[in-house]
Amino acid sequence: MSQISLSSQQLPVVLVLAGHDPSGGAGLTADSEAIAACGGWALTIPTALTVQNGDDVQRVLPCRGDDMRAMASVLDDFSVAAIKVGLIASLDALDAVVDIIQRYPGVPLVLDPVLKSGGGTELYTTELIDACRDRLLPLVDILTPNRYELACLAGDSWDNDTDRAVALLSLGCQAVLVTATDEPLPNTSSECVMHTLHTPDNGRQWHWPRLPDHFHGSGCTLAASLAVRLASGESLIQACEQAQSYTWQSLRHGWRPGDGQCFPRRLWRHSTHPFSME
Amino acid sequence: MSQISLSSQQLPVVLVLAGHDPSGGAGLTADSEAIAACGGWALTIPTALTVQNGDDVQRVLPCRGDDMRAMASVLDDFSVAAIKVGLIASLDALDAVVDIIQRYPGVPLVLDPVLKSGGGTELYTTELIDACRDRLLPLVDILTPNRYELACLAGDSWDNDTDRAVALLSLGCQAVLVTATDEPLPNTSSECVMHTLHTPDNGRQWHWPRLPDHFHGSGCTLAASLAVRLASGESLIQACEQAQSYTWQSLRHGWRPGDGQCFPRRLWRHSTHPFSME
């Protein structure tokens, strides 16, 4: 019999509850890739299938909550160390997401609210936003909205992003990392994008050189790489910083397959030549 | 505005039609990861969702053929250069797979027949095997069965694997790469696994050191990495050899999350420390 033995190394496991995107730019395959690229292992439970390309979402097909629960129920071989939640497209799927999260008390939860497609299609109803705010936000360790999503979740009562973030913290969410790549464009005077972390105690800002073009999947990449860093035991500040760095590099090395949006290359380190890794 | 510009590099694109596996060991997330790790880009259309872990498949939920066709219809931004087909769990899904393949005439097609779970659950009916043989095999450039799958597809009329492979070639399939990791175990005298390529003109054999344990997702890893190499223009022989090498290394660096099967690490080059890549 072979004398070769496998490593006994264990990997930080992230449970992903997210939509599936056939284009590979976003959704659960993107999350899985980002998590693997950052040294972790992804379990993925689809919350919805979608018909979409880089530019817009044509249809969303929510998965059945009971199917999602069944998928989660047989993964006990894995020690889940963080959870990342993305698109939730029905109240039935939200119920299942909440049930599944509650199987893992004390495990860090990253919520990337997916409210609108790149092409502008709304992916949430008011009823669903209200239900997420009431049932999901109090379980969240860190929320990663862009400015549009922040405004949707916080509602109309606030004048600025800090007040909106404080409003979400008051609902039980532990931290909010607001990304600002969706500032009104073109903004020729702005060569940087500023991302802001809000916590009850303090905050932190990071500035990143603005990249040209629009990307499909930047939010997923950020939230997934943040989750695997929390799974590995990094502090919140360090995890936020490293996840932004990884995401910026993935975008910087992105590619454009056609005339539409650009796509992150989450394994750009492999990319000088397709098969240079031999 | 930013002076940073993106690379104009184009990636070899593989269209994956396969099942989804929440454990990440096999299925479309595994395919996507292998394709990205080998320098390509994966588009993924789910043929089925599943309830499974590393050890067995509890339920298979076939996707609707019309949903699969709709997903494929909006991916025209991408120049598909190879197709990889995995699990097909219903006649409706098979119809859709055949329709989608026919959108891409002349594009190399790799079929990894998924007929049984690691735990022994049959995933095909006789009717479905017959339909795959009649409608899908004639479109296939290379089939990647293990010995069990080869016997199922070829039927009972043959005495040995070469005759079985020749029978499948006579149905219109262009090449058959038979993997033999599923030889009866324990076979203490066999320190090597032999994989055999059969083509109408000739053949080729490769021997690989046998690895301990059972793996979940080795077949997906092989077929996906073979597809991206064909997408990149490699010859059939070279693509088979490089894909086997990549797969063997992924298994060699595999890990075991619990007491059950082992899982390939398709990004093992990143793996000395989870975050050593910074």
Side-chain angles (χ1 to χ4, degrees):
Chain A
M1 200 57 179
S2 168
Q3 295 306 302
I4 298 170
S5 62
L6 295 185
S7 159
S8 60
Q9 183 186 9
Q10 291 294 298
L11 304 181
V13 175
V14 179
L15 175 62
V16 171
L17 299 150
H20 173 266
D21 168 10
S23 79
L28 61 83
T29 55
D31 294 335
S32 180
E33 192 175 289
I35 289 162
C38 293
W41 186 267
L43 309 174
T44 60
I45 295 182
T47 57
L49 304 183
T50 67
V51 176
Q52 66 175 298
N53 54 24
D55 294 319
D56 207 0
V57 175
Q58 273 79 32
R59 282 169 58 202
V60 175
L61 309 160
C63 292
R64 292 182 59 237
D66 283 344
D67 292 338
M68 295 168 56
R69 288 183 189 88
M71 291 178 202
S73 71
V74 297
L75 297 174
D76 291 340
D77 256 7
F78 294 88
S79 296
V80 172
I83 301 173
K84 186 248 160 171
V85 174
L87 174 65
I88 301 175
S90 72
L91 289 171
D92 177 47
L94 173 63
D95 284 345
V97 166
V98 171
D99 286 348
I100 292 167
I101 289 169
Q102 288 174 340
R103 295 172 66 97
Y104 302 98
V107 168
L109 171 61
V110 180
L111 174 61
D112 177 33
V114 181
L115 303 183
K116 194 164 73 169
S117 74
T121 304
E122 299 279 347
L123 302 175
Y124 265 58
T125 61
T126 305
E127 185 184 21
L128 201 44
I129 287 188
D130 288 346
C132 280
R133 202 163 27 210
D134 292 346
R135 303 190 52 208
L136 199 51
L137 264 192
L139 306 175
V140 169
D141 289 274
I142 179 162
L143 182 75
T144 59
N146 60 25
R147 298 187 64 229
Y148 168 83
E149 293 157 347
L150 177 70
C152 283
L153 286 167
D156 296 332
S157 308
W158 319 104
D159 292 331
N160 59 62
D161 284 356
T162 299
D163 288 351
R164 294 183 185 103
V166 168
L168 295 180
L169 293 174
S170 75
L171 294 174
C173 166
Q174 298 297 308
V176 183
L177 176 62
V178 182
T179 62
T181 45
D182 65 333
E183 289 176 303
L185 284 174
N187 181 351
T188 51
S189 68
S190 167
E191 294 203 351
C192 279
V193 177
M194 185 176 74
H195 302 328
T196 309
L197 176 67
H198 302 268
T199 66
D201 301 328
N202 51 32
R204 177 80 181 262
Q205 291 183 330
W206 292 270
H207 294 81
W208 298 92
R210 182 180 291 282
L211 293 167
D213 306 305
H214 289 277
F215 287 90
H216 180 61
S218 53
C220 296
T221 307
L222 177 68
S225 55
L226 177 53
V228 70
R229 287 170 185 288
L230 294 175
S232 190
E234 286 191 13
S235 71
L236 185 68
I237 295 275
Q238 188 181 10
C240 284
E241 183 157 312
Q242 292 296 319
Q244 288 174 69
S245 172
Y246 170 75
T247 303
W248 192 88
Q249 290 286 353
S250 297
L251 303 180
R252 172 72 184 87
H253 292 85
W255 74 302
R256 180 188 283 112
D259 297 327
Q261 283 192 316
C262 296
F263 289 73
R265 290 198 69 193
R266 284 165 283 258
L267 303 184
W268 79 91
R269 290 183 182 84
H270 285 189
S271 70
T272 50
H273 177 274
F275 305 135
S276 63
M277 24 177 311
E278 294 309 318
Chain B
M1 200 59 177
S2 168
Q3 296 305 303
I4 299 170
S5 62
L6 294 185
S7 160
S8 59
Q9 184 185 11
Q10 291 294 299
L11 304 181
V13 175
V14 179
L15 175 62
V16 171
L17 299 151
H20 174 265
D21 168 10
S23 78
L28 60 83
T29 55
D31 293 335
S32 180
E33 191 175 289
I35 289 163
C38 293
W41 186 268
L43 308 174
T44 59
I45 296 182
T47 57
L49 304 183
T50 66
V51 177
Q52 67 175 299
N53 54 22
D55 294 320
D56 208 359
V57 175
Q58 272 80 34
R59 281 169 58 202
V60 175
L61 309 160
C63 292
R64 291 182 60 239
D66 283 344
D67 292 337
M68 294 168 56
R69 289 184 190 89
M71 291 178 201
S73 71
V74 297
L75 296 174
D76 291 340
D77 256 7
F78 295 89
S79 295
V80 172
I83 302 172
K84 187 249 158 169
V85 173
L87 173 66
I88 301 175
S90 72
L91 290 172
D92 178 46
L94 173 63
D95 284 345
V97 166
V98 171
D99 286 349
I100 292 167
I101 289 169
Q102 288 174 339
R103 296 173 64 99
Y104 301 99
V107 168
L109 171 60
V110 180
L111 174 61
D112 178 34
V114 181
L115 303 182
K116 196 165 72 171
S117 74
T121 304
E122 299 279 347
L123 302 176
Y124 265 58
T125 61
T126 305
E127 186 185 22
L128 201 45
I129 287 187
D130 288 344
C132 281
R133 200 160 29 206
D134 293 345
R135 302 190 52 209
L136 199 51
L137 263 194
L139 306 175
V140 168
D141 288 275
I142 180 162
L143 182 76
T144 60
N146 60 25
R147 297 187 66 225
Y148 168 83
E149 293 157 346
L150 177 69
C152 283
L153 286 168
D156 296 332
S157 308
W158 319 104
D159 291 331
N160 60 64
D161 284 356
T162 299
D163 288 351
R164 292 182 185 104
V166 169
L168 295 180
L169 292 176
S170 75
L171 295 173
C173 165
Q174 298 296 308
V176 183
L177 176 62
V178 182
T179 62
T181 46
D182 65 334
E183 291 175 303
L185 284 172
N187 180 351
T188 50
S189 68
S190 168
E191 294 204 348
C192 280
V193 177
M194 184 176 74
H195 301 329
T196 309
L197 176 67
H198 302 268
T199 67
D201 300 328
N202 50 33
R204 178 81 180 261
Q205 292 185 330
W206 292 270
H207 294 81
W208 298 92
R210 180 179 294 283
L211 294 166
D213 306 306
H214 289 276
F215 287 89
H216 181 61
S218 53
C220 295
T221 307
L222 177 67
S225 56
L226 177 53
V228 70
R229 286 171 186 286
L230 294 176
S232 189
E234 286 192 14
S235 70
L236 184 69
I237 296 274
Q238 190 182 9
C240 284
E241 184 157 313
Q242 292 296 318
Q244 288 173 69
S245 173
Y246 170 75
T247 304
W248 191 88
Q249 291 287 352
S250 296
L251 303 179
R252 171 71 185 87
H253 292 86
W255 75 301
R256 180 187 284 111
D259 297 327
Q261 283 193 317
C262 297
F263 289 73
R265 291 199 69 194
R266 284 164 284 256
L267 302 184
W268 79 90
R269 290 182 182 84
H270 286 188
S271 70
T272 50
H273 179 274
F275 305 136
S276 63
M277 24 177 310
E278 294 311 315

